């Protein structure tokens, strides 16, 4: 007697796995290494001088990946600020040279992945991911700068 197994798809789970594969491709690392790599967070706000940045610990990098995977695809219009002042946070894999496109920009409720000439937008509801990332900068950024960007992400 042959046993027949039914297969049910779960759209959220498939979307999550697709999302993870996209992130892995974007950051150029393997699935097993994704959670074991440190990531760099840059505060995009200065012109004419280097932007402040800090490195996430391995545990923080894992948490970032989990939080990022929980974001939903953004529907509708959205943009990332390209003017003067605070333009959001840029997250990169700190284990490799960045060619200018392999990054995630998080600003004002929107997360935009950029890689290989393509981009995709995700909703950061209530700026939860952005605020969490800013909190990881406490003690790693100058106090005045930390308080300034914390207020901007309210």
């Amino acid at each position: 007697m042959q046993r027949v197994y039914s297969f049910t798809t779960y759209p959220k789970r498939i979307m999550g796995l697709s999302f993870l594969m996209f992130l892995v491709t974007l950051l150029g690392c393997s699935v097993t290494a994704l959670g074991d790599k440190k990531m760099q967070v840059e505060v995009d706000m200065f012109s004419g001088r280097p932007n402040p940045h800090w490195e996430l610990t391995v545990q923080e990098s894992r948490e970032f990946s989990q939080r990022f995977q929980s974001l939903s695809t953004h529907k509708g219009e959205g943009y990332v600020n390209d003017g003067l002042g605070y333009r959001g946070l840029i997250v990169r894999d700190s284990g490799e040279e960045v060619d200018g496109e392999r990054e995630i920009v998080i600003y004002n409720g929107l997360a935009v992945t950029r890689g290989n000439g393509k981009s995709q937008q995700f909703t950061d509801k209530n700026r939860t991911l952005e605020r969490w990332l800013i909190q990881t900068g406490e003690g790693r950024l100058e106090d005045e700068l930390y308080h300034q960007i914390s207020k901007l992400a309210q």
Side-chain angles (χ1 to χ4, degrees):
M1 174 187 267
Q2 186 176 18
R3 187 169 225 175
V4 177
Y5 295 95
S6 66
F7 180 75
T8 307
T9 59
Y10 298 97
K12 284 189 174 188
R13 179 165 285 181
I14 291 172
M15 188 69 165
L17 290 172
S18 299
F19 199 55
L20 177 61
M21 293 305 293
F22 177 77
L23 181 62
V24 167
T25 303
L26 175 72
L27 296 175
C29 53
S30 68
V31 174
T32 57
L34 178 64
D36 296 330
K37 289 199 173 201
K38 292 182 179 179
M39 302 176 106
Q40 179 181 313
V41 180
E42 176 182 334
V43 180
D44 189 13
M45 69 183 300
F46 297 131
S47 39
R49 68 177 176 146
N51 284 319
H53 64 275
W54 67 96
E55 192 170 82
L56 297 177
T57 65
V58 171
Q59 181 61 36
E60 289 168 335
S61 295
R62 285 185 192 130
E63 186 169 346
F64 170 79
S65 296
Q66 291 171 348
R67 287 172 178 263
F68 184 75
Q69 289 174 44
S70 72
L71 300 180
S72 58
T73 302
H74 181 73
K75 296 175 181 151
E77 295 293 315
Y79 71 95
V80 193
N81 185 11
D82 60 356
L84 297 175
Y86 176 69
R87 295 177 296 268
L89 304 171
I90 301 170
V91 181
R92 298 182 178 105
D93 176 4
S94 61
E96 297 181 12
E97 283 286 318
V98 176
D99 59 9
E101 289 194 2
R102 300 167 76 176
E103 60 191 20
I104 301 167
V105 179
I106 302 164
Y107 174 73
N108 198 24
L110 193 63
V112 180
T113 59
R114 298 177 182 163
N116 301 323
K118 297 178 183 179
S119 68
Q120 190 170 359
Q121 297 182 357
F122 301 91
T123 301
D124 179 18
K125 189 174 181 182
N126 299 318
R127 299 175 86 172
T128 305
L129 181 59
E130 183 178 7
R131 289 180 183 152
W132 177 81
L133 276 172
I134 290 170
Q135 288 175 353
T136 67
E138 186 173 19
R140 297 172 180 167
L141 293 170
E142 294 176 13
D143 287 341
E144 184 177 327
L145 176 64
Y146 173 77
H147 293 296
Q148 181 183 0
I149 63 171
S150 293
K151 288 179 185 176
L152 292 171
Q154 294 294 325

